[in-house]
Amino acid sequence: MGLPKDIEDLHTAACQKGSQTYNDPATGYTVFTELAHLARGYCCGNGCRHCPYGHLNVKDPSRKTNHMQRPVLLKFSPDCNPTPTPSVLSTVTVSHDAPEAWVVFFSGGKDSYLAIRRKQQELKDGGSKARIILLTTFSGPDDIVGHQQVPFSGVIVPQAKGMNLDLLALSLDFQPDACSHPQLQHNYERCIYRGLQALQNEYHFRVLGLVFGDLHVESIRTWREEHMRFPPPFANMRLEFPLWQVAYSVLEQELDNSPVEVYICAVGPSCPEVHRGVVAIGTRFDAGLRQRLRALDPKIDVFGEDGEFHTVVVLPGMPDLAPLIKAWAQSQGGEGMRC
């Protein structure tokens, strides 16, 4: 939302002072700054002037005038209460007693969900106090998460809330000059780096590493290992792949024993034509579906790791997404939102 220059200047000056409010020159009303909203940790739904959350919880579409223009941490864990400082792009030294965090790349599907569960169990077994923070990238204008093709606000946010995990929201529409680094050549990498900067410099977390839900495709892992290596102070971050080369029988049992339901939400161009009727959008991904797929082709990748299809996880308490997913499919001529 474009604001008059005098308002922008007032807001910038207030944030630089660390103030959570300023007085509107025309009305005299007290206005919350971005810092106040960031300290709250979520969109209040009132359509605030400086809401950094893209008016996430504003119900009236005509009042949703803001877009996320920076990384924001949505707070859903009961013990997350960081007090953000004004946006700082330069390196800030994190204190030794700063809370430690593992950042899990989360797209809303079964693989990243299983990666979360495995990392949680590892931290619990090791007695670690480090927390998990989810990271999701999405297209700012249309609110869509790539590949899964689900809305960030309608699916990812309720998932994070249902898991009681904080969520770092990264719109891929950041201005390059706001997150650039000479060693980073692509906008996606720059946005991830800017998000890590925010976690350290603004929210004061010590980021230990990045966690991915990849299963076995070597080219994807190689790309991550080449492009998710960032300049200092993140040069020594670990990259972890807790599902890598784990037998499907083990992952299937873990998924079936979890409290979630899983649905097909997108079909990729690599999906064979004979399988398309079985993996129709809105179909539940369960043992029965996997059995039908294997009956068609014993060698098929029932997890769709080669991009044949993508899934979305529905946690207890979340609304039934199957009708919504099917509605998306109908809006796309019956094909669904293709990858």
Side-chain angles (χ1 to χ4, degrees), residues 101-106 111-112 114-123 128 130-132 207-215 220-221 224-225 228-229 236-246:
W102 287 90
V103 176
V104 180
F105 279 56
F106 182 63
D111 299 347
S112 51
L114 287 174
I116 292 168
R117 287 172 59 87
R118 285 201 158 213
K119 190 62 184 178
Q120 286 176 322
Q121 191 63 50
E122 176 194 306
L123 295 176
S128 173
R131 69 183 66 214
I132 286 176
V207 180
L208 300 179
L210 309 179
V211 181
F212 305 94
D214 301 310
L215 302 180
I220 297 177
R221 176 165 180 164
R224 297 198 196 279
E225 291 175 337
M228 295 290 102
R229 299 292 184 183
N236 295 322
M237 277 195 321
R238 293 168 56 187
L239 303 185
E240 292 196 353
F241 301 81
L243 309 184
W244 190 253
Q245 301 290 3
V246 176

mmCIF file of all heavy atoms in Angstrom, residues 101-106 111-112 114-123 128 130-132 207-215 220-221 224-225 228-229 236-246:
data_model
loop_
_atom_site.group_PDB
_atom_site.id
_atom_site.type_symbol
_atom_site.label_atom_id
_atom_site.label_comp_id
_atom_site.label_asym_id
_atom_site.label_seq_id
_atom_site.Cartn_x
_atom_site.Cartn_y
_atom_site.Cartn_z
ATOM 1 N N ALA A 101 17.878 -22.255 16.957
ATOM 2 C CA ALA A 101 16.756 -22.682 16.114
ATOM 3 C C ALA A 101 17.257 -23.455 14.903
ATOM 4 O O ALA A 101 18.302 -23.144 14.323
ATOM 5 C CB ALA A 101 15.948 -21.469 15.651
ATOM 6 N N TRP A 102 16.476 -24.474 14.541
ATOM 7 C CA TRP A 102 16.613 -25.170 13.266
ATOM 8 C C TRP A 102 15.487 -24.690 12.361
ATOM 9 O O TRP A 102 14.333 -24.640 12.782
ATOM 10 C CB TRP A 102 16.525 -26.677 13.456
ATOM 11 C CG TRP A 102 17.751 -27.271 14.093
ATOM 12 C CD1 TRP A 102 17.979 -27.456 15.422
ATOM 13 C CD2 TRP A 102 18.904 -27.735 13.414
ATOM 14 N NE1 TRP A 102 19.213 -28.013 15.621
ATOM 15 C CE2 TRP A 102 19.814 -28.202 14.400
ATOM 16 C CE3 TRP A 102 19.273 -27.814 12.073
ATOM 17 C CZ2 TRP A 102 21.050 -28.727 14.088
ATOM 18 C CZ3 TRP A 102 20.511 -28.347 11.758
ATOM 19 C CH2 TRP A 102 21.386 -28.796 12.748
ATOM 20 N N VAL A 103 15.828 -24.356 11.141
ATOM 21 C CA VAL A 103 14.845 -23.840 10.190
ATOM 22 C C VAL A 103 14.461 -24.962 9.225
ATOM 23 O O VAL A 103 15.318 -25.483 8.498
ATOM 24 C CB VAL A 103 15.401 -22.634 9.421
ATOM 25 C CG1 VAL A 103 14.398 -22.163 8.363
ATOM 26 C CG2 VAL A 103 15.729 -21.503 10.391
ATOM 27 N N VAL A 104 13.190 -25.337 9.243
ATOM 28 C CA VAL A 104 12.698 -26.409 8.378
ATOM 29 C C VAL A 104 11.947 -25.790 7.207
ATOM 30 O O VAL A 104 10.985 -25.034 7.406
ATOM 31 C CB VAL A 104 11.759 -27.366 9.145
ATOM 32 C CG1 VAL A 104 11.271 -28.481 8.214
ATOM 33 C CG2 VAL A 104 12.477 -27.961 10.349
ATOM 34 N N PHE A 105 12.368 -26.106 5.988
ATOM 35 C CA PHE A 105 11.678 -25.643 4.795
ATOM 36 C C PHE A 105 10.354 -26.399 4.689
ATOM 37 O O PHE A 105 10.338 -27.626 4.577
ATOM 38 C CB PHE A 105 12.539 -25.874 3.559
ATOM 39 C CG PHE A 105 13.593 -24.816 3.366
ATOM 40 C CD1 PHE A 105 14.511 -24.532 4.363
ATOM 41 C CD2 PHE A 105 13.660 -24.095 2.183
ATOM 42 C CE1 PHE A 105 15.474 -23.548 4.197
ATOM 43 C CE2 PHE A 105 14.610 -23.107 1.998
ATOM 44 C CZ PHE A 105 15.521 -22.828 3.007
ATOM 45 N N PHE A 106 9.254 -25.646 4.726
ATOM 46 C CA PHE A 106 7.939 -26.258 4.843
ATOM 47 C C PHE A 106 7.035 -25.782 3.718
ATOM 48 O O PHE A 106 6.792 -24.588 3.553
ATOM 49 C CB PHE A 106 7.312 -25.906 6.191
ATOM 50 C CG PHE A 106 5.974 -26.535 6.428
ATOM 51 C CD1 PHE A 106 5.837 -27.915 6.499
ATOM 52 C CD2 PHE A 106 4.833 -25.751 6.590
ATOM 53 C CE1 PHE A 106 4.605 -28.506 6.728
ATOM 54 C CE2 PHE A 106 3.595 -26.328 6.814
ATOM 55 C CZ PHE A 106 3.477 -27.712 6.880
ATOM 56 N N ASP A 111 6.100 -34.710 2.920
ATOM 57 C CA ASP A 111 7.531 -34.909 3.118
ATOM 58 C C ASP A 111 8.095 -33.928 4.143
ATOM 59 O O ASP A 111 8.829 -34.325 5.058
ATOM 60 C CB ASP A 111 8.277 -34.767 1.785
ATOM 61 C CG ASP A 111 7.835 -35.801 0.757
ATOM 62 O OD1 ASP A 111 7.150 -36.771 1.140
ATOM 63 O OD2 ASP A 111 8.156 -35.634 -0.434
ATOM 64 N N SER A 112 7.774 -32.650 3.989
ATOM 65 C CA SER A 112 8.287 -31.682 4.959
ATOM 66 C C SER A 112 7.657 -31.904 6.331
ATOM 67 O O SER A 112 8.296 -31.659 7.362
ATOM 68 C CB SER A 112 8.056 -30.249 4.470
ATOM 69 O OG SER A 112 6.723 -30.022 4.087
ATOM 70 N N LEU A 114 6.897 -34.880 7.606
ATOM 71 C CA LEU A 114 7.652 -35.982 8.205
ATOM 72 C C LEU A 114 9.035 -35.524 8.655
ATOM 73 O O LEU A 114 9.551 -35.992 9.678
ATOM 74 C CB LEU A 114 7.777 -37.131 7.208
ATOM 75 C CG LEU A 114 6.502 -37.945 6.946
ATOM 76 C CD1 LEU A 114 6.737 -38.959 5.832
ATOM 77 C CD2 LEU A 114 6.027 -38.643 8.213
ATOM 78 N N ALA A 115 9.644 -34.614 7.900
ATOM 79 C CA ALA A 115 10.947 -34.079 8.298
ATOM 80 C C ALA A 115 10.837 -33.336 9.627
ATOM 81 O O ALA A 115 11.728 -33.429 10.485
ATOM 82 C CB ALA A 115 11.494 -33.168 7.206
ATOM 83 N N ILE A 116 9.752 -32.587 9.804
ATOM 84 C CA ILE A 116 9.526 -31.885 11.068
ATOM 85 C C ILE A 116 9.442 -32.879 12.219
ATOM 86 O O ILE A 116 10.087 -32.718 13.266
ATOM 87 C CB ILE A 116 8.226 -31.057 10.995
ATOM 88 C CG1 ILE A 116 8.382 -29.897 10.024
ATOM 89 C CG2 ILE A 116 7.836 -30.527 12.384
ATOM 90 C CD1 ILE A 116 7.083 -29.210 9.672
ATOM 91 N N ARG A 117 8.646 -33.912 12.036
ATOM 92 C CA ARG A 117 8.455 -34.899 13.107
ATOM 93 C C ARG A 117 9.768 -35.590 13.466
ATOM 94 O O ARG A 117 10.060 -35.817 14.651
ATOM 95 C CB ARG A 117 7.407 -35.938 12.692
ATOM 96 C CG ARG A 117 5.987 -35.385 12.712
ATOM 97 C CD ARG A 117 4.992 -36.379 12.113
ATOM 98 N NE ARG A 117 4.951 -37.654 12.804
ATOM 99 C CZ ARG A 117 4.177 -37.911 13.876
ATOM 100 N NH1 ARG A 117 3.402 -36.960 14.361
ATOM 101 N NH2 ARG A 117 4.170 -39.110 14.423
ATOM 102 N N ARG A 118 10.561 -35.913 12.471
ATOM 103 C CA ARG A 118 11.845 -36.575 12.748
ATOM 104 C C ARG A 118 12.802 -35.639 13.489
ATOM 105 O O ARG A 118 13.511 -36.054 14.407
ATOM 106 C CB ARG A 118 12.479 -37.072 11.448
ATOM 107 C CG ARG A 118 11.804 -38.316 10.902
ATOM 108 C CD ARG A 118 12.695 -39.074 9.955
ATOM 109 N NE ARG A 118 12.260 -40.463 9.871
ATOM 110 C CZ ARG A 118 13.064 -41.492 9.688
ATOM 111 N NH1 ARG A 118 14.360 -41.296 9.571
ATOM 112 N NH2 ARG A 118 12.587 -42.720 9.599
ATOM 113 N N LYS A 119 12.824 -34.366 13.061
ATOM 114 C CA LYS A 119 13.708 -33.411 13.729
ATOM 115 C C LYS A 119 13.240 -33.161 15.152
ATOM 116 O O LYS A 119 14.063 -33.052 16.076
ATOM 117 C CB LYS A 119 13.753 -32.104 12.934
ATOM 118 C CG LYS A 119 14.834 -31.136 13.432
ATOM 119 C CD LYS A 119 16.220 -31.746 13.285
ATOM 120 C CE LYS A 119 17.288 -30.849 13.863
ATOM 121 N NZ LYS A 119 18.648 -31.454 13.776
ATOM 122 N N GLN A 120 11.942 -33.072 15.364
ATOM 123 C CA GLN A 120 11.416 -32.899 16.715
ATOM 124 C C GLN A 120 11.830 -34.061 17.614
ATOM 125 O O GLN A 120 12.242 -33.853 18.768
ATOM 126 C CB GLN A 120 9.886 -32.786 16.678
ATOM 127 C CG GLN A 120 9.366 -31.458 16.161
ATOM 128 C CD GLN A 120 7.846 -31.447 16.054
ATOM 129 O OE1 GLN A 120 7.230 -32.450 15.679
ATOM 130 N NE2 GLN A 120 7.239 -30.317 16.369
ATOM 131 N N GLN A 121 11.726 -35.281 17.100
ATOM 132 C CA GLN A 121 12.091 -36.448 17.894
ATOM 133 C C GLN A 121 13.576 -36.456 18.208
ATOM 134 O O GLN A 121 13.992 -36.796 19.327
ATOM 135 C CB GLN A 121 11.698 -37.729 17.152
ATOM 136 C CG GLN A 121 11.803 -38.988 18.005
ATOM 137 C CD GLN A 121 10.862 -38.967 19.190
ATOM 138 O OE1 GLN A 121 9.680 -38.705 19.043
ATOM 139 N NE2 GLN A 121 11.393 -39.237 20.380
ATOM 140 N N GLU A 122 14.381 -36.066 17.230
ATOM 141 C CA GLU A 122 15.832 -36.009 17.449
ATOM 142 C C GLU A 122 16.182 -35.006 18.548
ATOM 143 O O GLU A 122 17.006 -35.293 19.428
ATOM 144 C CB GLU A 122 16.536 -35.608 16.145
ATOM 145 C CG GLU A 122 18.041 -35.423 16.290
ATOM 146 C CD GLU A 122 18.640 -34.704 15.107
ATOM 147 O OE1 GLU A 122 18.427 -35.159 13.968
ATOM 148 O OE2 GLU A 122 19.308 -33.676 15.309
ATOM 149 N N LEU A 123 15.569 -33.834 18.503
ATOM 150 C CA LEU A 123 15.850 -32.820 19.527
ATOM 151 C C LEU A 123 15.387 -33.295 20.895
ATOM 152 O O LEU A 123 16.069 -33.073 21.902
ATOM 153 C CB LEU A 123 15.160 -31.507 19.154
ATOM 154 C CG LEU A 123 15.650 -30.821 17.870
ATOM 155 C CD1 LEU A 123 14.815 -29.577 17.572
ATOM 156 C CD2 LEU A 123 17.121 -30.440 17.985
ATOM 157 N N SER A 128 17.821 -31.447 23.606
ATOM 158 C CA SER A 128 18.153 -30.117 23.100
ATOM 159 C C SER A 128 17.020 -29.142 23.364
ATOM 160 O O SER A 128 15.840 -29.483 23.270
ATOM 161 C CB SER A 128 18.429 -30.188 21.591
ATOM 162 O OG SER A 128 18.595 -28.890 21.058
ATOM 163 N N ALA A 130 16.885 -26.425 21.525
ATOM 164 C CA ALA A 130 16.716 -25.712 20.255
ATOM 165 C C ALA A 130 15.277 -25.871 19.764
ATOM 166 O O ALA A 130 14.652 -26.918 19.952
ATOM 167 C CB ALA A 130 17.698 -26.229 19.214
ATOM 168 N N ARG A 131 14.764 -24.838 19.139
ATOM 169 C CA ARG A 131 13.394 -24.878 18.641
ATOM 170 C C ARG A 131 13.397 -25.073 17.134
ATOM 171 O O ARG A 131 14.426 -24.912 16.469
ATOM 172 C CB ARG A 131 12.654 -23.589 18.996
ATOM 173 C CG ARG A 131 13.148 -22.368 18.254
ATOM 174 C CD ARG A 131 12.401 -21.133 18.730
ATOM 175 N NE ARG A 131 12.705 -20.838 20.105
ATOM 176 C CZ ARG A 131 11.835 -20.307 20.964
ATOM 177 N NH1 ARG A 131 10.601 -20.052 20.569
ATOM 178 N NH2 ARG A 131 12.171 -20.039 22.200
ATOM 179 N N ILE A 132 12.250 -25.416 16.611
ATOM 180 C CA ILE A 132 12.057 -25.521 15.170
ATOM 181 C C ILE A 132 11.265 -24.314 14.700
ATOM 182 O O ILE A 132 10.243 -23.956 15.291
ATOM 183 C CB ILE A 132 11.320 -26.824 14.804
ATOM 184 C CG1 ILE A 132 12.263 -28.021 14.958
ATOM 185 C CG2 ILE A 132 10.769 -26.770 13.376
ATOM 186 C CD1 ILE A 132 11.603 -29.356 14.707
ATOM 187 N N VAL A 207 20.738 -19.363 14.422
ATOM 188 C CA VAL A 207 20.298 -20.384 13.472
ATOM 189 C C VAL A 207 21.376 -21.459 13.343
ATOM 190 O O VAL A 207 22.505 -21.171 12.930
ATOM 191 C CB VAL A 207 19.982 -19.765 12.091
ATOM 192 C CG1 VAL A 207 19.515 -20.846 11.125
ATOM 193 C CG2 VAL A 207 18.919 -18.676 12.228
ATOM 194 N N LEU A 208 21.015 -22.691 13.688
ATOM 195 C CA LEU A 208 21.984 -23.792 13.662
ATOM 196 C C LEU A 208 22.081 -24.443 12.293
ATOM 197 O O LEU A 208 23.147 -24.935 11.913
ATOM 198 C CB LEU A 208 21.606 -24.842 14.704
ATOM 199 C CG LEU A 208 21.558 -24.363 16.161
ATOM 200 C CD1 LEU A 208 21.131 -25.517 17.064
ATOM 201 C CD2 LEU A 208 22.909 -23.823 16.590
ATOM 202 N N GLY A 209 20.956 -24.485 11.558
ATOM 203 C CA GLY A 209 21.006 -25.147 10.263
ATOM 204 C C GLY A 209 19.643 -25.173 9.601
ATOM 205 O O GLY A 209 18.639 -24.723 10.153
ATOM 206 N N LEU A 210 19.649 -25.711 8.386
ATOM 207 C CA LEU A 210 18.455 -25.814 7.567
ATOM 208 C C LEU A 210 18.087 -27.286 7.392
ATOM 209 O O LEU A 210 18.968 -28.139 7.231
ATOM 210 C CB LEU A 210 18.681 -25.174 6.195
ATOM 211 C CG LEU A 210 19.243 -23.750 6.184
ATOM 212 C CD1 LEU A 210 19.439 -23.259 4.757
ATOM 213 C CD2 LEU A 210 18.339 -22.804 6.956
ATOM 214 N N VAL A 211 16.795 -27.568 7.397
ATOM 215 C CA VAL A 211 16.306 -28.948 7.306
ATOM 216 C C VAL A 211 15.375 -29.059 6.104
ATOM 217 O O VAL A 211 14.487 -28.215 5.913
ATOM 218 C CB VAL A 211 15.558 -29.360 8.596
ATOM 219 C CG1 VAL A 211 15.074 -30.809 8.495
ATOM 220 C CG2 VAL A 211 16.452 -29.175 9.812
ATOM 221 N N PHE A 212 15.564 -30.132 5.311
ATOM 222 C CA PHE A 212 14.782 -30.328 4.095
ATOM 223 C C PHE A 212 14.130 -31.710 4.119
ATOM 224 O O PHE A 212 14.648 -32.645 4.719
ATOM 225 C CB PHE A 212 15.667 -30.208 2.852
ATOM 226 C CG PHE A 212 16.425 -28.919 2.771
ATOM 227 C CD1 PHE A 212 17.723 -28.816 3.252
ATOM 228 C CD2 PHE A 212 15.828 -27.779 2.233
ATOM 229 C CE1 PHE A 212 18.414 -27.624 3.187
ATOM 230 C CE2 PHE A 212 16.515 -26.576 2.159
ATOM 231 C CZ PHE A 212 17.809 -26.497 2.645
ATOM 232 N N GLY A 213 13.005 -31.841 3.420
ATOM 233 C CA GLY A 213 12.269 -33.100 3.384
ATOM 234 C C GLY A 213 12.509 -33.921 2.134
ATOM 235 O O GLY A 213 11.654 -34.744 1.774
ATOM 236 N N ASP A 214 13.645 -33.750 1.476
ATOM 237 C CA ASP A 214 13.936 -34.504 0.248
ATOM 238 C C ASP A 214 14.149 -35.979 0.569
ATOM 239 O O ASP A 214 14.692 -36.335 1.613
ATOM 240 C CB ASP A 214 15.176 -33.930 -0.432
ATOM 241 C CG ASP A 214 14.996 -32.458 -0.786
ATOM 242 O OD1 ASP A 214 13.968 -32.132 -1.397
ATOM 243 O OD2 ASP A 214 15.862 -31.654 -0.427
ATOM 244 N N LEU A 215 13.751 -36.845 -0.397
ATOM 245 C CA LEU A 215 13.779 -38.282 -0.158
ATOM 246 C C LEU A 215 14.953 -38.983 -0.829
ATOM 247 O O LEU A 215 15.691 -39.720 -0.180
ATOM 248 C CB LEU A 215 12.459 -38.908 -0.637
ATOM 249 C CG LEU A 215 11.180 -38.358 0.001
ATOM 250 C CD1 LEU A 215 9.961 -39.068 -0.563
ATOM 251 C CD2 LEU A 215 11.226 -38.465 1.508
ATOM 252 N N ILE A 220 18.115 -32.701 -6.737
ATOM 253 C CA ILE A 220 17.523 -31.716 -5.831
ATOM 254 C C ILE A 220 18.446 -31.469 -4.642
ATOM 255 O O ILE A 220 18.707 -30.315 -4.272
ATOM 256 C CB ILE A 220 16.141 -32.193 -5.345
ATOM 257 C CG1 ILE A 220 15.177 -32.305 -6.519
ATOM 258 C CG2 ILE A 220 15.590 -31.236 -4.285
ATOM 259 C CD1 ILE A 220 13.807 -32.832 -6.134
ATOM 260 N N ARG A 221 18.965 -32.546 -4.076
ATOM 261 C CA ARG A 221 19.870 -32.372 -2.934
ATOM 262 C C ARG A 221 21.123 -31.624 -3.359
ATOM 263 O O ARG A 221 21.601 -30.739 -2.626
ATOM 264 C CB ARG A 221 20.221 -33.726 -2.328
ATOM 265 C CG ARG A 221 21.226 -33.603 -1.195
ATOM 266 C CD ARG A 221 21.340 -34.833 -0.351
ATOM 267 N NE ARG A 221 22.315 -34.656 0.716
ATOM 268 C CZ ARG A 221 22.421 -35.433 1.788
ATOM 269 N NH1 ARG A 221 21.587 -36.451 1.938
ATOM 270 N NH2 ARG A 221 23.328 -35.206 2.702
ATOM 271 N N ARG A 224 20.448 -27.940 -3.577
ATOM 272 C CA ARG A 224 20.368 -27.308 -2.253
ATOM 273 C C ARG A 224 21.761 -27.144 -1.656
ATOM 274 O O ARG A 224 22.072 -26.097 -1.064
ATOM 275 C CB ARG A 224 19.501 -28.141 -1.320
ATOM 276 C CG ARG A 224 18.044 -28.263 -1.755
ATOM 277 C CD ARG A 224 17.194 -28.698 -0.583
ATOM 278 N NE ARG A 224 15.889 -29.179 -0.974
ATOM 279 C CZ ARG A 224 14.836 -28.420 -1.265
ATOM 280 N NH1 ARG A 224 14.960 -27.099 -1.242
ATOM 281 N NH2 ARG A 224 13.669 -28.966 -1.579
ATOM 282 N N GLU A 225 22.581 -28.159 -1.780
ATOM 283 C CA GLU A 225 23.918 -28.082 -1.183
ATOM 284 C C GLU A 225 24.785 -27.046 -1.877
ATOM 285 O O GLU A 225 25.706 -26.492 -1.254
ATOM 286 C CB GLU A 225 24.578 -29.458 -1.231
ATOM 287 C CG GLU A 225 23.909 -30.453 -0.290
ATOM 288 C CD GLU A 225 24.468 -31.853 -0.395
ATOM 289 O OE1 GLU A 225 25.040 -32.199 -1.450
ATOM 290 O OE2 GLU A 225 24.329 -32.608 0.588
ATOM 291 N N MET A 228 22.231 -23.330 -1.140
ATOM 292 C CA MET A 228 21.848 -22.952 0.215
ATOM 293 C C MET A 228 23.060 -22.809 1.125
ATOM 294 O O MET A 228 22.982 -22.984 2.337
ATOM 295 C CB MET A 228 20.861 -23.969 0.803
ATOM 296 C CG MET A 228 19.512 -24.038 0.085
ATOM 297 S SD MET A 228 18.455 -22.575 0.326
ATOM 298 C CE MET A 228 18.711 -21.722 -1.247
ATOM 299 N N ARG A 229 24.203 -22.496 0.524
ATOM 300 C CA ARG A 229 25.403 -22.154 1.271
ATOM 301 C C ARG A 229 25.534 -20.639 1.240
ATOM 302 O O ARG A 229 25.721 -20.046 0.178
ATOM 303 C CB ARG A 229 26.638 -22.807 0.652
ATOM 304 C CG ARG A 229 26.598 -24.325 0.628
ATOM 305 C CD ARG A 229 26.678 -24.906 2.026
ATOM 306 N NE ARG A 229 26.735 -26.364 2.003
ATOM 307 C CZ ARG A 229 26.749 -27.124 3.081
ATOM 308 N NH1 ARG A 229 26.704 -26.561 4.284
ATOM 309 N NH2 ARG A 229 26.781 -28.435 2.985
ATOM 310 N N ASN A 236 28.693 -21.561 8.176
ATOM 311 C CA ASN A 236 28.919 -22.865 8.810
ATOM 312 C C ASN A 236 27.616 -23.568 9.198
ATOM 313 O O ASN A 236 27.646 -24.554 9.940
ATOM 314 C CB ASN A 236 29.795 -22.691 10.050
ATOM 315 C CG ASN A 236 31.187 -22.197 9.699
ATOM 316 O OD1 ASN A 236 31.766 -22.603 8.690
ATOM 317 N ND2 ASN A 236 31.721 -21.306 10.521
ATOM 318 N N MET A 237 26.508 -23.077 8.699
ATOM 319 C CA MET A 237 25.244 -23.737 8.990
ATOM 320 C C MET A 237 25.214 -25.148 8.417
ATOM 321 O O MET A 237 25.709 -25.389 7.325
ATOM 322 C CB MET A 237 24.070 -22.953 8.392
ATOM 323 C CG MET A 237 23.588 -21.809 9.216
ATOM 324 S SD MET A 237 21.958 -21.260 8.648
ATOM 325 C CE MET A 237 22.112 -21.396 6.879
ATOM 326 N N ARG A 238 24.596 -26.058 9.148
ATOM 327 C CA ARG A 238 24.460 -27.421 8.660
ATOM 328 C C ARG A 238 23.212 -27.541 7.802
ATOM 329 O O ARG A 238 22.198 -26.880 8.046
ATOM 330 C CB ARG A 238 24.382 -28.386 9.839
ATOM 331 C CG ARG A 238 25.674 -28.485 10.634
ATOM 332 C CD ARG A 238 25.466 -29.213 11.949
ATOM 333 N NE ARG A 238 24.896 -30.556 11.759
ATOM 334 C CZ ARG A 238 24.508 -31.316 12.781
ATOM 335 N NH1 ARG A 238 24.601 -30.881 14.015
ATOM 336 N NH2 ARG A 238 24.023 -32.531 12.542
ATOM 337 N N LEU A 239 23.289 -28.397 6.802
ATOM 338 C CA LEU A 239 22.126 -28.762 6.000
ATOM 339 C C LEU A 239 21.780 -30.204 6.328
ATOM 340 O O LEU A 239 22.630 -31.092 6.222
ATOM 341 C CB LEU A 239 22.420 -28.614 4.504
ATOM 342 C CG LEU A 239 22.889 -27.244 3.999
ATOM 343 C CD1 LEU A 239 22.998 -27.263 2.479
ATOM 344 C CD2 LEU A 239 21.963 -26.141 4.453
ATOM 345 N N GLU A 240 20.536 -30.440 6.716
ATOM 346 C CA GLU A 240 20.144 -31.784 7.127
ATOM 347 C C GLU A 240 18.987 -32.291 6.281
ATOM 348 O O GLU A 240 18.085 -31.526 5.901
ATOM 349 C CB GLU A 240 19.766 -31.801 8.610
ATOM 350 C CG GLU A 240 20.948 -31.555 9.528
ATOM 351 C CD GLU A 240 20.656 -31.944 10.969
ATOM 352 O OE1 GLU A 240 19.484 -32.274 11.271
ATOM 353 O OE2 GLU A 240 21.602 -31.923 11.775
ATOM 354 N N PHE A 241 19.030 -33.602 6.016
ATOM 355 C CA PHE A 241 18.016 -34.282 5.204
ATOM 356 C C PHE A 241 17.559 -35.526 5.958
ATOM 357 O O PHE A 241 17.991 -36.641 5.657
ATOM 358 C CB PHE A 241 18.599 -34.659 3.839
ATOM 359 C CG PHE A 241 19.115 -33.495 3.041
ATOM 360 C CD1 PHE A 241 20.378 -32.963 3.285
ATOM 361 C CD2 PHE A 241 18.329 -32.924 2.046
ATOM 362 C CE1 PHE A 241 20.854 -31.883 2.546
ATOM 363 C CE2 PHE A 241 18.796 -31.841 1.302
ATOM 364 C CZ PHE A 241 20.053 -31.323 1.554
ATOM 365 N N PRO A 242 16.689 -35.373 6.960
ATOM 366 C CA PRO A 242 16.356 -36.505 7.836
ATOM 367 C C PRO A 242 15.608 -37.648 7.165
ATOM 368 O O PRO A 242 15.549 -38.746 7.730
ATOM 369 C CB PRO A 242 15.484 -35.852 8.926
ATOM 370 C CG PRO A 242 14.985 -34.586 8.322
ATOM 371 C CD PRO A 242 16.053 -34.124 7.386
ATOM 372 N N LEU A 243 15.037 -37.421 5.967
ATOM 373 C CA LEU A 243 14.314 -38.493 5.272
ATOM 374 C C LEU A 243 15.150 -39.144 4.177
ATOM 375 O O LEU A 243 14.660 -40.069 3.505
ATOM 376 C CB LEU A 243 13.026 -37.942 4.634
ATOM 377 C CG LEU A 243 12.072 -37.132 5.513
ATOM 378 C CD1 LEU A 243 10.825 -36.758 4.726
ATOM 379 C CD2 LEU A 243 11.705 -37.893 6.774
ATOM 380 N N TRP A 244 16.377 -38.703 4.012
ATOM 381 C CA TRP A 244 17.168 -39.118 2.852
ATOM 382 C C TRP A 244 17.422 -40.622 2.855
ATOM 383 O O TRP A 244 17.955 -41.178 3.815
ATOM 384 C CB TRP A 244 18.496 -38.355 2.829
ATOM 385 C CG TRP A 244 19.265 -38.548 1.560
ATOM 386 C CD1 TRP A 244 20.397 -39.281 1.372
ATOM 387 C CD2 TRP A 244 18.941 -37.985 0.286
ATOM 388 N NE1 TRP A 244 20.799 -39.215 0.067
ATOM 389 C CE2 TRP A 244 19.922 -38.424 -0.627
ATOM 390 C CE3 TRP A 244 17.918 -37.159 -0.172
ATOM 391 C CZ2 TRP A 244 19.907 -38.065 -1.968
ATOM 392 C CZ3 TRP A 244 17.896 -36.794 -1.508
ATOM 393 C CH2 TRP A 244 18.886 -37.251 -2.384
ATOM 394 N N GLN A 245 16.997 -41.265 1.750
ATOM 395 C CA GLN A 245 17.204 -42.695 1.517
ATOM 396 C C GLN A 245 16.529 -43.578 2.569
ATOM 397 O O GLN A 245 16.867 -44.767 2.693
ATOM 398 C CB GLN A 245 18.705 -43.037 1.443
ATOM 399 C CG GLN A 245 19.473 -42.317 0.354
ATOM 400 C CD GLN A 245 19.108 -42.783 -1.055
ATOM 401 O OE1 GLN A 245 18.240 -43.615 -1.245
ATOM 402 N NE2 GLN A 245 19.782 -42.229 -2.040
ATOM 403 N N VAL A 246 15.591 -43.033 3.331
ATOM 404 C CA VAL A 246 14.842 -43.860 4.276
ATOM 405 C C VAL A 246 13.840 -44.704 3.482
ATOM 406 O O VAL A 246 13.185 -44.213 2.553
ATOM 407 C CB VAL A 246 14.092 -42.984 5.301
ATOM 408 C CG1 VAL A 246 13.232 -43.845 6.229
ATOM 409 C CG2 VAL A 246 15.088 -42.159 6.114
#
